[in-house]
Amino acid sequence: MIIDCHGHFTTAPKELRKYRDAQVAAYAAGQRDGFADLRAFSDEELFRDLQGEQMKLQAQRGIDMALFSPIAGLMGHHLGNEAMSRHWSTTCNNLIDRVARAFPKNFAPVCQLPQSPGVRPDNCIEELERCVLELGFVGCNLNPDPAGGYWTDPPLTDEWWYPLYERIEALDVPAMIHVSGSCNPNFHHTGAHYINGDTTAFMQLLQSDLFATFPNLRFIIPHGGGAVPYHWGRYRGLAQDMGRPPLSELLLRNVYFDTCVYHQPGVNLLSEVIPVDNILFGSEMVGAVRGIDPETGHYFDDTKRYVDGLGLSAEDRLKVFEGNARRVFPRLDARLKAMTN
Amino acid sequence: MIIDCHGHFTTAPKELRKYRDAQVAAYAAGQRDGFADLRAFSDEELFRDLQGEQMKLQAQRGIDMALFSPIAGLMGHHLGNEAMSRHWSTTCNNLIDRVARAFPKNFAPVCQLPQSPGVRPDNCIEELERCVLELGFVGCNLNPDPAGGYWTDPPLTDEWWYPLYERIEALDVPAMIHVSGSCNPNFHHTGAHYINGDTTAFMQLLQSDLFATFPNLRFIIPHGGGAVPYHWGRYRGLAQDMGRPPLSELLLRNVYFDTCVYHQPGVNLLSEVIPVDNILFGSEMVGAVRGIDPETGHYFDDTKRYVDGLGLSAEDRLKVFEGNARRVFPRLDARLKAMTN
């Protein structure tokens, strides 16, 4: 089967964005807690564009299932306060839960966390446990910069994050390292902040012994790993100059890359330098780039075509499209096994 | 001939770093102007490691000349105040001037600018004019984040920068977009901040019509363009989704990439997606990565090998190694012509 490890509910009803805008406006006007709940959408409202766009494209492209999380650009951890982030995260995760229950063959649920700048990530444990233990979520998204482009919280390798990592490791749910929108005018969100977040996270991990402390912690770095595979020689060389172990030992038991790179030469490079066991098929569809590439006549984000274009062996193809995802997300594997029984 | 468009005076006497440390300490202790001058180095002191390392490696690798600027990681625009930045920039540029006068066949001088966070870049014009008009410098380095990893100044496309661009354009000196050290613990300087700076600058340019206003402004984005060539499809797609012209029209008359990518697959990708007219040979040597790649037995930063490995036609090879640099840096071309007359 074909598992897309990177999908967001970008086809949610447009009213969700209006609701969020109103929440942000309420905060600006002085509200600090007791935020109004989202109106209960009917199934028809909630699933209309999901079925009309997302699932239609899945079918057209031959994608069986997506790991599905709330809209990354809308997580907006930098907005409001911790109470608002918690309320909004719960709201979004509950929508994902409904999607995954209605279409269990198409979507496996992944949660956002109620991060807030300056707030210890311990605050995320309760929502993570609710999602994983009560609702059956299989993974989470972790924002390395809750400040939305100002990077004022500690690096991912700081002990600041350890209580959350302990819980993530114990629950055996991997985290996709994924920033949200940028409130810094220097950073376009999908064109700079996303890619920078990926590159930054990788280099933080390279400098640290985090995985000696948390050997079962697993991170997916999306968008093809940011700049990392393109500069793989630089990273190998920096690690060597710093007296670190080879990257294969230091990071590649715990760090994975998706295939959200929107042209064939990029996916070729990814496949050339990153071991096949560390690559998970992902498309970020419907998402960052929505148009058709005039050079190919196909959608930029139809990344399955690029992976098909690699000419992988049957064994490697199975790893990238299914096996690696099932291995990295054990709760996804259990879910799939339970569905076929 | 072989022109390396990206070299820094990293082989300057170690005493320079001590002097800078003392200057930073003086600022911390309350000094705000009247900073002590650097001791006058003898030629022997100043050129010892330059000749022993930099020029030796140039000769070994077959590099005829480098565009040579002060140590990028030491520009430290975020340190001190504008007066200190001015004093330090003048100090460093004067050392470059001495190098270029002593070894005019090996080095063409490129200046750093006395940027300071929150200070209008107009303040850089005087030092730029001194370097170009009095000392014969051929280009400058422009820091898109004088805040050293906190990105608190306006994007490169903001009118904030326009008076400096007017002068850069009038002097016909291109600017390499190059951040300096990072004071943000999230960003390793050469492993994250440099690459992020490159990616960020490109996306800022993609969003704007800066080159309609300054048609003769030319930027070199170093380190192979950060993440940009690897995500070239993403950038083509984002531009298209935003209703922007094709990147070839929008940016490629004004934006150039160097070849500071430290493995063959990365340079292959760069050459595959970026037009040959927009690629300038660069090595960043002696710099970010100093070791030998155990996979090849050669120095990671011996980027000439990777360019040689492309198997370019004689015409394209001439462009990448010499012609593009002479075209993009007209004052370099004039300097070379004057030397051969």
Side-chain angles (χ1 to χ4, degrees):
Chain A
M1 65 184 297
I2 310 288
I3 300 171
D4 181 345
C5 79
H6 188 175
H8 302 294
F9 192 9
T10 48
T11 50
K14 300 210 174 0
E15 193 181 324
L16 181 65
R17 290 178 188 268
K18 288 185 186 163
Y19 163 80
R20 175 62 166 173
D21 290 344
Q23 187 179 69
V24 172
Y27 184 87
Q31 191 168 6
R32 291 295 176 266
D33 54 22
F35 296 96
D37 288 338
L38 177 68
R39 176 174 74 78
F41 291 129
S42 68
D43 282 358
E44 195 193 334
E45 290 173 307
L46 184 59
F47 303 140
R48 187 172 47 222
D49 292 345
L50 181 81
Q51 291 181 287
E53 293 181 53
Q54 192 104 26
M55 292 171 69
K56 196 172 146 195
L57 286 170
Q58 280 188 333
Q60 284 173 358
R61 299 181 187 182
I63 297 171
D64 297 302
M65 165 175 265
L67 291 167
F68 208 54
S69 60
I71 304 173
L74 227 58
M75 294 191 295
H77 295 116
H78 56 282
L79 298 167
N81 59 4
E82 194 267 344
M84 194 172 103
S85 186
R86 178 177 301 279
H87 191 278
W88 171 239
S89 295
T90 305
T91 300
C92 291
N93 290 335
N94 287 347
L95 294 180
I96 295 295
D97 178 50
R98 278 185 64 190
V99 168
R101 283 182 198 284
F103 307 101
K105 290 185 179 172
N106 290 80
F107 300 106
V110 170
C111 64
Q112 80 177 48
L113 297 171
Q115 297 175 250
S116 192
V119 176
R120 298 192 69 88
D122 311 43
N123 84 318
C124 298
I125 294 174
E126 186 183 337
E127 177 64 3
L128 177 69
E129 289 185 335
R130 184 183 79 92
C131 288
V132 174
L133 298 177
E134 294 179 27
L135 304 178
F137 280 48
V138 304
C140 62
N141 291 338
L142 186 68
N143 186 343
D145 173 31
Y150 286 103
W151 294 90
T152 48
D153 273 6
L156 286 176
T157 49
D158 191 277
E159 294 188 6
W160 172 261
W161 302 88
Y162 280 16
L164 178 59
Y165 292 160
E166 284 169 15
R167 209 62 203 116
I168 285 176
E169 200 179 41
L171 291 169
D172 212 9
V173 283
M176 179 172 277
I177 307 296
H178 204 308
V179 297
S180 182
S182 161
C183 60
N184 186 328
N186 280 284
F187 303 126
H188 184 275
H189 74 298
T190 53
H193 191 43
Y194 280 25
I195 307 297
N196 292 351
D198 306 333
T199 307
T200 300
F202 183 84
M203 189 63 204
Q204 290 176 0
L205 299 173
L206 189 156
Q207 294 173 262
S208 93
D209 290 312
L210 185 67
F211 299 121
T213 308
F214 298 103
N216 196 37
L217 184 63
R218 296 183 300 284
F219 289 145
I220 296 98
I221 304 190
H223 320 106
V228 171
Y230 178 49
H231 287 286
W232 195 240
R234 188 179 190 89
Y235 291 103
R236 288 196 293 109
L238 283 169
Q240 182 173 292
D241 283 0
M242 295 161 80
R244 311 286 296 155
L247 298 183
S248 53
E249 291 173 30
L250 179 63
L251 297 177
L252 293 182
R253 293 168 192 155
N254 303 83
V255 174
Y256 302 85
F257 301 91
D258 77 12
T259 64
C260 294
V261 180
Y262 294 162
H263 62 155
Q264 189 70 52
V267 175
N268 291 349
L269 174 86
L270 173 70
S271 169
E272 186 175 355
V273 301
I274 303 298
V276 68
D277 289 332
N278 294 79
I279 301 174
L280 276 65
F281 170 66
S283 79
E284 206 186 350
M285 175 270 289
V286 181
V289 177
R290 302 190 176 214
I292 290 174
D293 186 346
E295 294 185 7
T296 66
H298 300 289
Y299 284 99
F300 279 106
D301 66 359
D302 188 358
T303 55
K304 181 166 172 294
R305 286 184 171 275
Y306 312 134
V307 177
D308 286 340
L310 293 172
L312 296 174
S313 69
E315 185 187 359
D316 285 353
R317 191 182 149 82
L318 184 66
K319 286 180 178 179
V320 171
F321 279 126
E322 177 183 347
N324 292 343
R326 294 178 78 137
R327 178 167 51 88
V328 174
F329 291 81
R331 287 176 183 269
L332 169 68
D333 187 57
R335 186 181 168 91
L336 290 169
K337 283 178 177 153
M339 286 196 323
T340 52
N341 287 341
Chain B
M1 65 185 295
I2 311 288
I3 301 171
D4 182 345
C5 79
H6 187 175
H8 303 293
F9 192 10
T10 47
T11 49
K14 298 210 176 358
E15 192 180 325
L16 181 65
R17 291 177 187 269
K18 287 185 188 165
Y19 163 79
R20 176 63 166 172
D21 290 344
Q23 188 179 68
V24 172
Y27 184 87
Q31 191 167 8
R32 292 294 176 266
D33 54 24
F35 297 97
D37 288 338
L38 177 68
R39 177 174 75 78
F41 292 128
S42 69
D43 281 357
E44 193 193 338
E45 290 173 307
L46 185 60
F47 302 140
R48 185 171 48 221
D49 292 344
L50 181 83
Q51 291 181 287
E53 293 181 54
Q54 192 104 27
M55 293 172 69
K56 194 171 148 197
L57 286 170
Q58 280 188 334
Q60 284 173 358
R61 299 181 188 182
I63 297 170
D64 297 301
M65 164 174 267
L67 290 167
F68 208 54
S69 60
I71 304 174
L74 227 58
M75 292 190 297
H77 296 116
H78 57 281
L79 298 167
N81 59 3
E82 195 267 345
M84 193 172 105
S85 186
R86 179 178 301 277
H87 190 278
W88 172 239
S89 295
T90 305
T91 301
C92 292
N93 290 334
N94 287 347
L95 295 181
I96 295 295
D97 178 51
R98 279 185 63 191
V99 168
R101 285 182 197 283
F103 306 100
K105 290 185 179 172
N106 289 79
F107 299 105
V110 170
C111 64
Q112 79 177 49
L113 297 171
Q115 297 175 251
S116 193
V119 176
R120 298 193 69 89
D122 311 42
N123 83 317
C124 299
I125 294 173
E126 186 183 337
E127 176 64 4
L128 177 70
E129 290 184 334
R130 183 182 79 93
C131 289
V132 174
L133 298 177
E134 295 179 27
L135 304 178
F137 281 47
V138 303
C140 62
N141 290 339
L142 185 67
N143 186 343
D145 173 30
Y150 287 103
W151 293 90
T152 48
D153 272 6
L156 286 176
T157 50
D158 191 277
E159 294 188 7
W160 172 262
W161 301 88
Y162 280 17
L164 178 58
Y165 293 160
E166 283 168 17
R167 209 62 203 117
I168 285 176
E169 201 179 39
L171 292 169
D172 212 9
V173 283
M176 179 172 277
I177 307 296
H178 205 308
V179 297
S180 182
S182 161
C183 60
N184 186 327
N186 280 284
F187 303 126
H188 184 274
H189 75 298
T190 53
H193 191 43
Y194 280 25
I195 307 296
N196 292 350
D198 306 333
T199 308
T200 300
F202 183 85
M203 189 64 204
Q204 290 175 0
L205 299 172
L206 189 156
Q207 293 173 263
S208 92
D209 290 313
L210 184 67
F211 300 120
T213 307
F214 298 102
N216 197 36
L217 184 64
R218 296 181 301 284
F219 289 144
I220 296 97
I221 304 190
H223 320 107
V228 170
Y230 178 49
H231 287 286
W232 195 240
R234 189 179 190 87
Y235 291 103
R236 288 196 293 109
L238 283 168
Q240 182 173 292
D241 284 359
M242 294 161 80
R244 310 286 298 155
L247 298 183
S248 53
E249 292 173 29
L250 179 63
L251 297 177
L252 293 183
R253 294 170 191 153
N254 304 83
V255 174
Y256 302 85
F257 301 90
D258 77 13
T259 64
C260 294
V261 179
Y262 294 160
H263 61 155
Q264 189 70 52
V267 175
N268 291 348
L269 174 86
L270 172 70
S271 169
E272 187 175 355
V273 301
I274 303 298
V276 68
D277 288 331
N278 294 78
I279 300 174
L280 276 66
F281 170 65
S283 78
E284 205 187 350
M285 176 271 288
V286 183
V289 176
R290 301 190 176 214
I292 289 173
D293 186 347
E295 294 185 8
T296 66
H298 299 288
Y299 284 99
F300 279 106
D301 66 0
D302 187 358
T303 56
K304 181 167 173 294
R305 286 184 171 273
Y306 311 134
V307 177
D308 286 341
L310 292 172
L312 296 175
S313 69
E315 185 187 358
D316 286 352
R317 190 182 150 82
L318 185 66
K319 286 181 177 178
V320 171
F321 279 125
E322 177 182 349
N324 292 342
R326 293 178 80 135
R327 179 167 51 88
V328 175
F329 291 81
R331 287 176 183 269
L332 169 67
D333 187 56
R335 186 180 168 92
L336 290 170
K337 282 176 177 155
M339 286 196 327
T340 52
N341 287 342

